[in-house]
């Protein structure tokens, strides 16, 4: 990735915030995508795993890491932080957590690697037309996605399931806490990794909501790439240099990896190797919407006009 010296006047600047599976990172860029040297703050953490397949992390410590990552990039920018015009965020796809009516977390963050809902995934494959679901949602009936996890939570922890008023990804929660307006909404991109979105009609899928035991009112409102929001007063006071910056709703990390590497058309494929490994390509939406997902692959969304087609291994 090209980088430029912080000493050069590069304003307006953009801060990229990434909540990954093993660390939370923040880095500043100039307006044409060059990283500003020596501005990256990276804070590692480790998932909490259990012998029966659990893979979670507590919400508040993860939010604290997010805040500290922003603290770090602001401190590294120094006076140049006043030139930050926008903050864009990305996060691991497929994470699930719940909050109550007051916005307090009711669960930890459940990661894609949590396999405790495998029994529910198997039951869903027997109960539903799995190929039809896959073609409609772009997602297999699998423990990585929300329908199986929600059914598992409803079976194993019904009290928590009942008092949870909203199910969301960690990225939505973090921006809901940090910002005003609807920046805590679910982008089409993030929602496409849940297994609850019809990736053709781009709305919450009625059948998958029903089998998950929730209604659309238990999920975040859907947006595309905006509108942006602004910081809540307490965080604006913490980071005065970012008080006027526009904060955009989060996108899935896999889609952003393709965009960042320039693999955004049908002639370019991106390979990512990390905690998981994936091969992805971004394709324009056919005018008639009558597209078929090839066998063995999944299909998410970058936005309303572009699909993310690929396959993955759970261990990079």
């Amino acid at each position: 990735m090209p980088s430029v010296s912080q000493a050069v006047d590069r304003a307006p600047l953009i801060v990229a915030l990434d909540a990954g599976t093993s660390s939370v990172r923040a880095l500043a860029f100039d307006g044409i995508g060059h990283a500003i040297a020596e501005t990256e703050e990276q804070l590692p953490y480790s998932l909490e795993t259990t012998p029966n397949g659990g893979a979670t992390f507590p919400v508040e410590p993860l939010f604290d890491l997010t805040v500290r990552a922003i603290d770090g990039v602001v401190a590294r920018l120094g006076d140049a932080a006043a030139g930050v015009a926008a903050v864009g965020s990305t996060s691991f796809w497929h994470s699930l957590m719940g909050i109550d009516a007051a916005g307090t977390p009711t669960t930890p963050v459940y990661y894609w690697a949590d396999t405790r809902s495998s029994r529910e995934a198997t039951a869903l494959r027997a109960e539903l037309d799995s190929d039809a679901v896959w073609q409609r949602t772009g997602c297999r009936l699998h423990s990585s996605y929300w329908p199986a996890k929600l059914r598992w939570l409803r079976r194993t922890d019904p009290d928590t399931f009942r008092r949870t008023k909203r199910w969301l990804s960690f990225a939505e929660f973090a921006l809901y806490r940090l910002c005003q307006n609807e920046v805590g909404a679910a982008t089409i991109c993030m929602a496409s990794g849940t297994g609850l979105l019809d990736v053709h009609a781009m709305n919450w899928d009625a059948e998958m909501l029903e089998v998950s035991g929730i209604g659309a009112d238990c999920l975040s409102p859907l947006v595309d790439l905006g509108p942006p929001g602004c910081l809540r007063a307490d965080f604006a006071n913490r980071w005065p240099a970012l008080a006027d910056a526009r904060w955009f709703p989060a996108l899935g990390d896999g889609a952003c990896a393709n965009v960042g590497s320039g693999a955004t058309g049908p002639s370019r494929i991106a390979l990512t190797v990390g905690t998981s490994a994936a091969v992805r390509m971004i394709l324009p939406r056919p005018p008639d919407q009558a597209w078929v997902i090839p066998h063995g692959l999944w299909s998410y969304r970058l936005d309303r006009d572009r699909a993310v087609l690929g396959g993955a291994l759970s261990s990079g």
Side-chain angles (χ1 to χ4, degrees), residues 93-117:
W93 251 322
H94 326 308
S95 70
L96 172 66
M97 58 167 288
I99 57 176
D100 63 18
T104 303
T106 57
T107 71
V109 181
Y110 297 101
Y111 287 70
W112 55 266
D114 194 309
T115 59
R116 288 175 291 180
S117 60

Side-chain angles (χ1 to χ4, degrees), residues 28-282:
F29 294 82
D30 68 11
I32 57 174
H34 291 153
I36 307 297
E38 300 180 1
T39 62
E40 183 176 15
E41 183 76 2
Q42 183 169 8
L43 303 173
Y45 71 97
S46 298
L47 296 185
E48 297 181 356
T49 58
T50 60
N52 65 341
T56 64
F57 199 76
V59 175
E60 293 296 349
L62 190 57
F63 181 73
D64 181 62
L65 286 175
T66 303
V67 171
R68 286 169 50 202
I70 300 168
D71 284 341
V73 75
V74 169
R76 290 170 183 274
L77 280 168
D79 292 342
V84 174
V87 179
S89 58
T90 181
S91 178
F92 37 76
W93 251 322
H94 326 308
S95 70
L96 172 66
M97 58 167 288
I99 57 176
D100 63 18
T104 303
T106 57
T107 71
V109 181
Y110 297 101
Y111 287 70
W112 55 266
D114 194 309
T115 59
R116 288 175 291 180
S117 60
S118 295
R119 168 179 159 183
E120 279 69 24
T122 299
L124 283 169
R125 288 193 291 271
E127 180 181 331
L128 303 175
D129 183 337
S130 58
D131 283 342
V133 171
W134 166 50
Q135 286 295 327
R136 202 170 63 244
T137 67
C139 300
R140 292 287 189 181
L141 293 168
H142 189 274
S143 60
S144 289
Y145 301 116
W146 288 19
K149 281 186 166 63
L150 288 168
R151 282 174 63 126
W152 170 73
L153 284 163
R154 185 172 57 173
R155 174 175 64 85
T156 60
D157 195 352
D159 290 341
T160 294
F161 191 88
R162 280 193 297 270
R163 66 188 178 89
T164 297
K165 300 303 180 186
R166 183 173 170 187
W167 299 99
L168 67 174
S169 71
F170 172 74
E172 291 158 55
F173 172 77
L175 290 169
Y176 164 79
R177 283 274 295 269
L178 290 168
C179 297
Q180 305 176 49
N181 307 333
E182 290 297 336
V183 77
T187 58
I188 293 294
C189 183
M190 287 298 292
S192 69
T194 65
L196 292 176
L197 187 80
D198 182 325
V199 295
H200 305 280
M202 283 171 284
N203 51 32
W204 296 118
D205 186 87
E207 181 180 44
M208 299 316 296
L209 292 177
E210 181 178 0
V211 299
S212 300
I214 63 171
D217 59 338
C218 296
L219 300 171
S220 299
L222 291 169
V223 297
D224 198 8
L225 299 177
C230 57
L231 285 173
R232 295 184 186 274
D234 51 343
F235 289 107
N237 290 334
R238 185 178 182 125
W239 308 305
L242 305 184
D244 295 326
R246 295 180 296 166
W247 292 66
F248 285 84
L251 301 175
D253 55 0
C256 291
N258 273 64
V259 172
S261 59
T264 56
S267 63
R268 303 198 73 179
I269 296 174
L271 169 65
T272 301
V273 180
T275 307
S276 61
V279 177
R280 308 178 187 88
M281 62 191 307
I282 291 179

Side-chain angles (χ1 to χ4, degrees), residues 8-13 30-31 80 82-84:
V8 180
D9 182 8
R10 310 298 296 186
L13 304 179
D30 68 11
V84 174

